[in-house]
């Protein structure tokens, strides 16, 4: 690690002015779980690190019946998992946050830091896309709000401009929506998912509508499986429908190939994940229903 | 009276200081004026070094020295093959090989300076695949060719054995390198004092072997070097004599004449290698219908990477050790060790045993199936027994293998699970087992496998032990303390084991070949008995009675015939000093087991005792994701006698976990010779999440040659895990994986092939 200046602003305006002052020579630090690894390996060597650690206002988690959930960007994964507000209004989000990575990362890493780093081998983005999340970004000129879909640009790339800070994540009120989330590790010894999947749908007397089926970790940015979503609209899930949807999902996903798994393997896991999450949503047992 | 120390589950004597973070490791040491070193590594698998420009690095403020291969001694170091210099000279032979080193006032400056060194390489064709080592156009790793070592062993009449066989089965198995994954990456601090003496604190399993190697590499007399072993955070074979950073650190200290610290990051520790030897094993075996093995033929291709190190010795174990586990007469093996332009591979817990026992146990399970015999029965029918002399001349003083088989199969419910009906569905369960043997001690060096312990009893009746047998976390110091406390009749807390130091401790080979309990335990027993005799003689003189009527109980010398005749131990120890011209109680005892070196045909009883183990596991295979979960594991270790059952269970459970890692999760990925996953996020060792409850039990076969009946524990326990898992996977889904690790991709491919086969046969 190279020497660097460590700044700890005590307010958001102060943080923004520090970013403006130091420009591209500085890095923002939230939980630091990814940043410090990169700095230790000298993959990143910022002259200045601006820590957001003292901006307690960015840790709040709140719910409003009209606006939905608002999660401060600096809420740690363990905070999200343990929040009674999240558990009451979006239990699947609490489950996702409580199961990602490992306890060390959950107790240190933040949901905002996670989204800004945009590492595909992680969980929150996939879930939040299915939930229809939006993000608030603060800059010197004020705030802007955009859909998470627009925020996630590519592999390790977001729409965050230099000098901006992600401040909050918003989830619309769930209404009658059912949400499910599953993650798949290549082996039980891994802590990062090789595939994850989120399903969000309205179940009206068994038939699905307004289906969102998002696959992540397998792709550079989480991918909405549009054809599979269309196929599922209006259908009641049974073993045959789940199998057909799984085949569609496997065909339309555009998986990564890297050192952790090749595309063919990821495609197979996407098929499996699709089948299982649909059967789980329908209350059917996937263990008896091999494709 | 039952012992309160021996056979008791005693926490490690170092446990408290370790959990408090107060144990001092090499990397924790700091001295006034200490400098920091960093190393530049080759980015090429094979290249000629045309020139190295260090001028910019030298000019950087804070840099005290920059050295390259041109600056290091001409003398080469190595085990049997003398091949390595302190830094690469002229040629690099693997990605990660050390080319230059910087010493500076801080690690950060040293890192900056490393970036300023400019090496002009001429890249050369590299041999990256052991299978191509003998191709006509294969790049040559060393001038003498790519064959590092060859072993041929033959006993009995193998051809006649095969001719008499009812069933002959042949298959090829392959095993991958495993990273030792110790908690503590390599670290060394070295300094030269005003007399010119070089003192080195390093993470080592053997201070005397470390000193020998430093003397060779630095081309200076052994006695001008002093090696200390601070607390060591695990070795698993990687810290014997193959790692290179301690040699570099010691050399740098001689250059700058100031203390130098070289601590490897985890990434650098990976780049340095010290992985286990990968093998390709062709195994052919003949059996009669009753399961008796009548012939065995083995052909091994093993890869040592760029330098031989201990790999020839490792391969010898692969080639012949497991033959001794069974009553067989006709065996033939050929083993070839080849160089490649990859990082050196060598010693690893099990020392070549894991590789062959994967092949052997997989093979036995397959043949048991073909003969319709329960594999447990097949093992039992062929097992060597107490009192046997094995095919290679090993005298089996104790063999608890049958009891190990009983324990693990009973615990897992083997028979009931074998008979349960097959269920369809996505998740399939299966059971598997394997058996193993290992040496306790090994007479390979200088026709000596002895151990010496010096024991001092202070005037307060407390004891200090000097030995250079190493505790690298496995519990040697606790074992020695227990034996000493028992014999002297004092509490365990009154015994201190000094850290190994070549200038003060008696010569020792250190923690290799599971030899410390069986040999140092004996030496400790002798030393403690001698000290006890001296104490009782002094007490007899002081109390005016016969020494034979005295004993020491809880720190008091007590007459066994007259309750009124006693004296506290400190009183007797002081008396001893005052009545012997100031001589305290100081004894040295040696034990050299009655073993022999192997002859040129690899025959002879090399170890005082042999230990055995068996393991049974149940796995669940997800047929859609290919994921294998070990859901139950039982391991039983015949360690002769458990001087410390808590330590034996710890070793057994740790070994079982390391074996699960090797079988299922740990896979070094190379791309053109470059290690792609040299970090603990991508090289996935099993964490608590990945493991079931890990169970172990102990068989006490009470070896006649072991101290108090004890043999080695720990290495044997790593041997059966991988084949037990492979056998369980086969039982679950009918797919036989012969190349480790058992990855999800291989499971899915195996299932697909099975599906096609079944489809075709319909």
């Amino acid at each position: 690690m190279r020497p660097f200046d460590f700044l700890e602003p005590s307010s958001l305006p102060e943080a923004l002015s520090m970013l403006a002052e130091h420009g591209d020579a500085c890095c923002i630090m939230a939980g630091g779980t990814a940043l410090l690894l990169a700095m230790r390996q000298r993959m990143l060597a910022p002259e200045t690190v601006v820590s957001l650690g003292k901006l307690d206002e960015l840790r709040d988690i709140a719910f409003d019946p009209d606006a939905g959930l608002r999660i401060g960007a600096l809420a740690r994964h363990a905070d999200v998992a343990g929040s009674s507000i999240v558990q009451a209004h979006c239990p699947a989000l609490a489950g996702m946050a409580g199961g990602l990575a490992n306890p060390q990362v959950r107790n240190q890493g933040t949901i905002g830091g996670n989204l800004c780093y945009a590492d595909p081998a992680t969980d929150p983005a996939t879930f939040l896309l299915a939930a229809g999340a939006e993000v608030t970004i603060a800059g010197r000129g004020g705030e802007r709000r955009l859909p998470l879909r627009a925020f996630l640009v590519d592999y390790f790339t977001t729409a965050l401009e230099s000098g901006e800070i992600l401040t909050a994540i918003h989830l619309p009120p769930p209404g009658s929506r059912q949400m499910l989330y599953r993650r798949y590790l290549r082996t039980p010894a891994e802590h990062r998912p090789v595939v994850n999947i989120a399903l969000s749908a309205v179940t009206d007397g068994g038939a699905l509508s307004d289906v969102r089926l998002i696959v992540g970790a397998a792709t550079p940015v989480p991918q909405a499986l549009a054809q599979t979503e269309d196929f599922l609209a209006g259908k009641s899930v049974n073993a045959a429908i789940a199998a057909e949807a799984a085949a569609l999902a496997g065909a339309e996903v555009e998986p990564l190939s890297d050192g952790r798994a090749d595309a063919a393997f990821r495609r197979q896991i996407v098929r499996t994940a699709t089948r299982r999450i649909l059967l789980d949503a329908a209350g059917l047992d996937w263990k008896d229903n091999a494709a | 009276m039952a012992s309160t120390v021996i056979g008791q589950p005693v926490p490690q004597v170092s446990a408290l200081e370790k959990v408090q973070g107060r144990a001092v490791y090499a990397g924790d040491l700091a001295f006034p004026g200490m400098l920091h070193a960093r190393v530049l590594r080759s980015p090429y698998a094979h290249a000629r070094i045309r020139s190295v420009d260090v001028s910019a690095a030298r000019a950087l403020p804070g840099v005290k020295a920059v050295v390259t291969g041109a600056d290091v001694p001409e003398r080469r170091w190595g085990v049997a093959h003398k091949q390595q210099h302190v830094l690469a000279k002229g040629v690099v032979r693997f990605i990660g090989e050390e080319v230059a080193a910087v010493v500076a006032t801080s690690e950060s400056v040293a890192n900056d300076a490393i970036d300023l060194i400019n090496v002009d390489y001429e890249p050369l064709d590299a041999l990256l695949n052991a299978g191509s080592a003998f191709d006509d156009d294969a790049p040559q790793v060393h001038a003498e060719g790519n064959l590092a070592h060859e072993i041929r062993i033959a006993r009995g009449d193998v051809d006649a054995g095969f001719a008499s066989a009812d069933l002959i089965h042949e298959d090829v198995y392959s095993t991958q390198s495993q990273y030792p994954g110790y908690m503590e990456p390599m670290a060394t601090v070295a300094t030269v004092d005003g007399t010119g003496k070089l003192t080195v604190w390093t993470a080592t399993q053997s201070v005397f072997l470390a000193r020998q190697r430093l003397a060779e590499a630095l081309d200076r007399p052994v006695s001008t070097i002093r090696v200390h072993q601070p607390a060591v955070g695990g070795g698993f074979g990687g810290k014997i004599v193959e790692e290179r950073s301690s040699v570099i650190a010691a050399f740098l200290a001689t250059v700058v004449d100031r203390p130098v610290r070289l601590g490897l990051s985890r990434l650098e520790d990976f780049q340095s290698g010290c992985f286990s030897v990968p093998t390709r094993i062709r195994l052919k075996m003949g059996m009669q219908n009753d399961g008796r093995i009548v012939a065995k033929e083995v052909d091994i291709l093993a890869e040592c990477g760029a330098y031989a190190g201990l790999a020839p010795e490792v391969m010898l174990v692969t080639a012949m050790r497991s033959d001794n586990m069974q009553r067989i007469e006709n065996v033939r093996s050929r083993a070839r060790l080849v160089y490649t332009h990859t990082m050196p591979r060598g010693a690893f817990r099990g020392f070549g045993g894991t590789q062959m026992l994967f092949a052997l146990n997989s093979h036995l399970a397959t043949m048991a199936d073909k003969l319709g015999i329960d594999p447990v029965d097949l093992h039992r029918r062929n097992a060597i027994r107490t009192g046997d002399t094995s095919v290679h001349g090993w005298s089996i003083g104790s063999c608890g293998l049958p009891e190990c088989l009983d324990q693990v199969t009973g615990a897992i419910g083997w028979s009931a699970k074998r008979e349960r009906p097959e269920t369809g569905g996505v998740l399939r369960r299966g059971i598997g087992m394997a058996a193993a043997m290992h040496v306790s001690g090994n007479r390979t060096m200088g026709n000596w496998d002895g151990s010496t312990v010096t024991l001092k009893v202070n005037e307060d009746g407390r004891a200090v032990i000097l030995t250079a047998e190493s505790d690298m976390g496995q519990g040697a110091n606790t074992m020695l303390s227990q034996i000493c406390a028992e014999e002297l009749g004092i509490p365990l807390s009154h015994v201190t084991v000094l850290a190994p130091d070549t200038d003060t401790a008696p010569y020792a080979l250190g923690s290799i070949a599971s030899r410390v309990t069986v040999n140092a335990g004996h030496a400790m027993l002798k030393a403690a008995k001698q000290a006890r005799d001296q104490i009782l003689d002094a007490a007899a003189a002081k109390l005016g009675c016969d020494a034979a009527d005295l004993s020491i109980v809880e720190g008091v010398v007590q007459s066994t015939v007259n309750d009124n005749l006693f004296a506290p131990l400190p009183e007797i120890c002081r008396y001893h000093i005052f009545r012997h011209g100031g001589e305290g109680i100081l004894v040295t005892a040696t034990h050299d087991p009655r073993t022999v070196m192997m002859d040129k045909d690899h025959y002879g009883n090399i170890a005082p005792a042999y230990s055995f183990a068996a393991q049974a596991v149940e796995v669940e295979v997800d047929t859609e994701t290919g994921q294998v979960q070990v859901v139950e594991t039982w391991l039983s270790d015949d360690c002769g006698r458990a001087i410390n059952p808590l330590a034996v269970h710890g070793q057994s459970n740790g070994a079982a976990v390391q074996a699960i890692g090797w079988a299922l999760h740990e896979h070094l990925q190379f791309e053109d010779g470059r290690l792609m996953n040299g970090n603990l996020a991508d090289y996935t060792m099993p964490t608590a999440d990945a493991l079931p409850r890990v169970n172990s039990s102990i068989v006490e076969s009470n070896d006649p040659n072991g101290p108090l009946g004890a043999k080695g524990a720990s290495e044997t326990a790593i041997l059966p895990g991988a084949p037990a898992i492979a056998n369980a996977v086969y039982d679950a889904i009918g797919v036989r994986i012969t190349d480790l690790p058992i990855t999800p991709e291989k499971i899915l491919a195996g299932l697909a092939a099975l599906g096609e086969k079944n489809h075709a046969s319909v």
Side-chain angles (χ1 to χ4, degrees), chain B residues 32 55 105 195 217 222 412 422 578 715 751:
Chain B
S55 54
T105 48
T195 70
V222 159
I412 206 166
E422 243 181 61
F578 298 153
E715 286 199 271
L751 285 167

Side-chain angles (χ1 to χ4, degrees), chain B residues 467-489:
Chain B
T467 173
E469 307 292 11
S470 151
D471 194 324
M472 67 249 190
Q474 88 279 30
N477 288 354
T478 307
M479 177 274 296
L480 294 171
S481 300
Q482 285 178 275
I483 292 176
C484 181
E486 170 84 3
E487 289 302 316
L488 291 184

Side-chain angles (χ1 to χ4, degrees), chain B residues 16 18 24 40 168 178 192 298 410 438 463 507 640 647 668 728 739 761:
Chain B
L16 193 61
K18 283 183 177 164
V24 178
L40 178 67
I168 294 174
Q178 187 173 16
V192 177
V298 179
H438 194 72
Y507 187 84
L668 295 160
D739 57 329
S761 66

